[in-house]
Structure formats: C-alpha cells, structure tokens
Amino acid sequence: MRRAVLAITGLAASTTALVVLKGSPGASHVAQDLPADQASVAPGPRLTPGPGDSTTGPASVRPSAEPTTSRTSGTKTSTTAKATAAPKTTTSAPKTTTTRTVTGPVVSYKYGSLQVRITLSGTRIVDATGLGMPQSGGSAMRSDAVQAQYSGTSGEVVAKQSANLNTVSGATYTSNAYKQSLQAAIDKA
Amino acid sequence: MTYQETYAGRRSGTTSPHGGRSAARMSPPPALPRRGPAGRRTLTALFWLGLVAAVLPWWLDTPAGSLAGTADALTAAGRITGLVAGYLLLVQVLMMSRLGALERWLGGERLSRLHRDIGATLLVAVLAHLSLIVVAYAGLEKKSILGEVGTLLSDYEDMVSAFVAAGIMVAVGFTAIRAVRRLMPYELWYHLHLFSYAVLLLGYGHQFSNGAQLFESGPVRTGWIAAYLLVLAALIWGRVVAPLRFNLRHRLRVADVVAESPDTISIYLTGRRLNQIDLLGGQYFRWRFLNPGCWWQSHPFSLSAAGNDRWLRLTVKVVGSHTADLRDLEPGTRVWAEGPSGTFTAAHRTRERALLIAGGSGIAPLRAMLEELPAGAALIYRARTPADVLMHRELDWLAQARHTSVWYVIGSRNDSGPRQVMSPEGLRRLVPDVTRRDVYLCGPSGLVDEAVRVLRQAGVPRRQIHLATFEL
C-alpha cells in the first residue's frame, strides 16, 4: 500500500511538472531541453527506479530534438522578425531574400477564433498555418483536422494557391473561418 | 520449554530406517543453478519504457508555452492522466494474463501486490482524468460542471460507455479495499472483479474518438491499437492456449488421496510426460478438479515434492468447503492445471545458503524446495502441536540426504520456546550466518509478518527474504 501512495504522489508530481514545463511561455527554449530528462525522472518513485531510468535515457533524446525545429517555425517566427530568426531555423535560411509573411484577421466562429498566416515567396504561397485555434476537446480535433488538411508546406492552401478549399468533413465552421481569414490574407498580400 | 527441548529436537543427520517416501531419484539431484534478476529487470524496464512511450505523444504534440490559461493547463493535465490511465489499464490486464514469462519472472505473489498498487494508481488516474477534463472543458465553454457533464454525455461520441467504465472501475476499486472485501464471499468478489474486463471494452472507444493524441490516424494511434491487440493476445495465450496445451499434453488424473494429519491431505497425481514439465520445487499450479462438486472452482496450491517423472503431489490443509470436498476425490478424476507459477524456488536465491521457515501446512513448498537447494540449508518448522507437524519422516530423510539442519519448534506463539527462537538473538543462535542467507517463509500470515519483522531486525536484507502468500 505504501508503494501505491508513492505511485499516486509520483503521478501527481510528474503530471504537474510536465504541465508546468510545457506551460511556461517565456522559457520555451529552455523548457524543451530540460523536460526530456524530467519526464523520465519524475515518475521515478513509483517502482524500483534502477533499470527504468537507464532505459528511458535514449528515449528522452528524441523529444528534445524534434520539437525544436517544428516549434520554432510554428510559434517563434511571428509576423515580423524574419531575417534575425533565419540563421536559427535552417529550413528558411536559403530563401530569406524574397519570402514574406502575411497574417489574416481574427475570425470568430462557433468554437472559438482563429487567424491564418501565410508565407509567400514572391507571389506564390509556400506555407500556411492557422493561429490561435481552440485546443480543447472536440474543438481541438476540428482544429487539428483543419490544420492537417489546409496548412503546411504541402497542404491544400499551397496546392490550390487560393481560398477555394474543400470543406473538412465534420469541421464546417472551422473550415469556413479558416477560409475567411485566408481570403483576407491573400487579398492583403 | 526452550527450543532444545522441543519435540524431536534437532534432526540434522538423523538416520531414518524407513526414509519416508522418496521424492525423486535415490541419488539427490544436483542443486539448481541460480537465476539472476535479469528477467525481472527486463520487465521493469519495459514497464517504464511503455509509460514514457504513452505520454510522449502528448509531449511532442504540445507546443511549448501553449498552455496559457488555467483551463489549458487543466486540459493538459487531464490528457496526461488519461494517457497514463489508458496505459496502466493495459498493464493491469496484462499482469493478470497468466502469461508464463510473467508468472515465472515476477511470480504470483509479486504480481498480485503490483496489481493492487497499480490498481489504486489507475483508479486515481482515471478519476483525475475525468474531473480535470470536465472542469477544464466547463471553464473553456463557460458552463457549469454538471452542464458540461451533460454536454460530454450527449455531444461526444462513446462518452456514455466511458462514464460507465469509470463507474465500474470505482466499484471494483471499492470492493478491492481489504475491509470491504472481507465482508463478501470470495466467489462473489472474484466475479465482481471480472467486470474489470468490461472496463477494457467500454473505455476503448472514447480514447480513439475523443483522444487528442489518438483520434487521428498515424503511428500513435496504430501503436495504441497494437498495444491493445498485444494485451488481448497475451490474455488469450496465457488463459486459454497455454493451459489447453499443458493439459492436453500431460492429462493429469488423481492417483490417490492420503491423509497426512487429521486436517491435512496429500493428493497424488499421475499423467503423461511428467518428466517434461519445466517445474521447480516451491512453485504452484492453479488446480481445477473435474468432478461434479469442484469443477467450477480453481485454487492455487503448491506442490509438496520436487518434479519427478512419476507423480505430482500437492498437500492441502482442510479449511473450507472446497478443501473438505477434496478429501473425497476418487482416483481417476481428471485435473485441469494451470502453471507452474511462482518465484518461490531455489533458483531465485541470491546467496548459496538458505534458511527456510515454515508454519503448519506452509511446509509444502519448502519441502519441495529442499530437494533442490544446495547442501547446508536450514529449516525451522513452527507448529502448534506435535500432531501438526507434517511429513517429518520425509524431512528427516532429506535432512540426511542433503545435509540440512532441521529444527521443530512446537508450541503456541506465546510460549517461551517459540518466542525465544522467533527473536533476532534466537535466530542468530540457531543460524549464526542468517544475514548471509536467503530466507524462505511460508505459513499463516501472522507468522510470516512476525518472521519478516524479526529477520529485518536481525539484519537480513529485504531482497534475501522470499515470501509465499496468496493473501493480498
């Protein structure tokens, strides 16, 4: 029974630690390197920690490596500050001369609000992403489904180069809001 | 009454004219080689690896700094606890799958302790997941808690069954509390506990229709489904295929029922290819005696003799209605056995020498183990009266054949003799090198608990103490 109490305490502590580590907005860069170890160490007290820790070692390398590239392009490079951020993110480095980003207006809809940001190389849209999309429960699913179909360098926006997109099934409101903000962004560009 | 004057006294090296029943070949088999803790460590490592793998998708999917408000943080915590709960549920079922590797590497005793501890954690994780998600969504959608529960039940897929699953889990967890459990008959408790499988089924849907990490097809979803299929396969293998194979292969039947003492019987079994059973002394099977009165009950009993190619023997104390029925078993009755299970064996020792402490009918597995321990073992046999001492002829024979010291300590727990032996000083006087031995304990829980306390006081490390108790 003592072990169960330890395990429950460990669960509460590690869940809190994970949320706090992900949640701290300022320290996003620090947080990405640190929590990888933390995630594997935090549940430690639950059982005999010896072998568990050593094996989680290699697994903890991945989370720190992967998110840094995707995350910096997602949240860090906001509407301005393109040139300064470029050396860090290797993907955008070669085309810094002609790319620019345009952000559409915030559109409110049934489940929340969103805005679309597009990246253009000359007049061609090379990337698109929805910002501030609701991230709770069923709304999150709709957000994710819409993001998956429309956004990204190989999404429908880049493919069609217009706001005339197929509606994502099961996410009509989200799709429409996305298209509305996208159309405005294209008009602005 | 001091231990020197107790019944039969020290029996080391005593010659017995009859020798009791010889348990195996006449030349004693060589002592079993030790098995390291590699198997257990592998399983522990796999458990932690799985836990990390279960939470990792959330970690990768969540941008750093994206949890701005309280509601976001609560949602995130709800998702983590949900993933942990989903994983622990699979671990719980897997641990009860009777998979041979688990039963032999971890042992039934450790498995049931882990099952209880992880079960408590799982229940807390599920309740945390449920309340965190409800509170977080209510905050996001600016509804009351009850209103949000209504929304979840009506608007979200598979949530009704998920709530039912949570309810069943709470009920199962409640009845597993020791005090509550004692109030109901074992069979009722057991069948209620079987409803846990429904949790697996009812909780399945909502993870995929609503789980932020799982609803999209991709490696995470595939992996999660694969984990379910693996557990299901383990369940079918451990509970159906392996026992079926064992029983078709060995076809065990009752050969004889022998009274060892007024309230203890030994059941001899014969069958085919008994020499091919991979059996260690001290292990147990779950037995089902296929006659009209007993076929529906399955009970774990240890074998009371090491493996040999002619017969198996289990020794049972008559305490309940089922064990009373066993006295009337007819020779020829078919027996369905599941096993062998358990890490209470000579192979799991950490040192070369061992001290065995038996209480009453707890001698059975120790008696089997004695045949496989290296020379120089010691046995302390506690019994209330001389009549409660079982198989003492066999023990004398083994004491001689395997150079084992045997002490019979007779009397009630409060008599001065037993009290003197069951103290750190008393143990050290009998077995001066007790801290450098593995200690195997089997007997009534009162005796076992007391012995563990005394052994720890005498300085025996915890990992050198091996217990055989089925009680949780």
Side-chain angles (χ1 to χ4, degrees), chain A residues 8-127:
Chain A
I8 291 164
T9 320
L11 173 69
S14 48
T15 306
T16 317
L18 282 173
V19 171
V20 168
L21 286 167
K22 274 292 187 197
S24 53
S28 61
H29 240 310
V30 190
Q32 272 154 12
D33 295 336
L34 198 113
D37 312 289
Q38 209 74 7
S40 57
V41 173
R46 238 174 286 175
L47 270 180
T48 44
D53 280 3
S54 62
T55 46
T56 49
S60 63
V61 179
R62 259 183 301 147
S64 63
E66 249 181 83
T68 33
T69 48
S70 61
R71 219 111 296 159
T72 37
S73 59
T75 56
K76 274 231 145 185
T77 54
S78 51
T79 44
T80 52
K82 197 75 239 188
T84 45
K88 275 246 165 186
T89 53
T90 44
T91 43
S92 56
K95 28 184 171 162
T96 36
T97 43
T98 51
T99 53
R100 62 205 166 96
T101 58
V102 179
T103 309
V106 177
V107 177
S108 296
Y109 61 106
K110 188 181 174 187
Y111 305 113
S113 62
L114 61 76
Q115 70 187 132
V116 175
R117 190 191 67 209
I118 51 176
T119 307
L120 298 107
S121 177
T123 55
R124 195 181 147 70
I125 303 174
V126 293
D127 196 3

Side-chain angles (χ1 to χ4, degrees), chain B residues 56-79:
Chain B
L56 200 61
W58 172 85
W59 182 261
L60 296 178
D61 280 358
T62 311
S66 65
L67 309 177
T70 325
D72 277 351
L74 289 178
T75 311
R79 281 181 188 164

Side-chain angles (χ1 to χ4, degrees), chain B residues 11-155:
Chain B
R11 288 297 191 112
S12 178
T14 336
T15 325
S16 161
H18 310 292
R21 251 174 222 274
S22 88
R25 286 142 288 183
M26 284 312 289
S27 60
L32 280 174
R34 251 187 269 169
R35 280 182 196 174
R40 183 162 50 90
R41 292 202 177 138
T42 311
L43 292 175
T44 314
L46 282 176
F47 169 81
W48 288 111
L49 209 65
L51 186 63
V52 171
V55 185
L56 200 61
W58 172 85
W59 182 261
L60 296 178
D61 280 358
T62 311
S66 65
L67 309 177
T70 325
D72 277 351
L74 289 178
T75 311
R79 281 181 188 164
I80 295 170
T81 47
L83 289 168
V84 170
Y87 173 66
L88 289 184
L89 178 65
L90 289 179
V91 171
Q92 281 288 76
V93 177
L94 186 65
M95 284 203 302
M96 289 296 113
S97 66
R98 306 262 168 92
L99 210 59
L102 292 173
E103 297 277 323
R104 282 190 290 270
W105 290 351
L106 290 177
E109 204 264 337
R110 188 183 269 116
L111 275 177
S112 48
R113 259 188 303 139
L114 281 173
H115 185 75
R116 192 191 62 197
D117 290 343
I118 294 184
T121 316
L122 168 62
L123 184 60
V124 171
V126 164
L127 291 178
H129 167 65
L130 194 153
S131 39
L132 283 166
I133 291 287
V134 168
V135 171
Y137 284 15
L140 282 171
E141 293 166 25
K142 304 200 170 43
K143 284 185 187 153
S144 70
I145 304 280
L146 276 179
E148 183 57 41
V149 171
T151 313
L152 282 174
L153 284 174
S154 57
D155 290 3

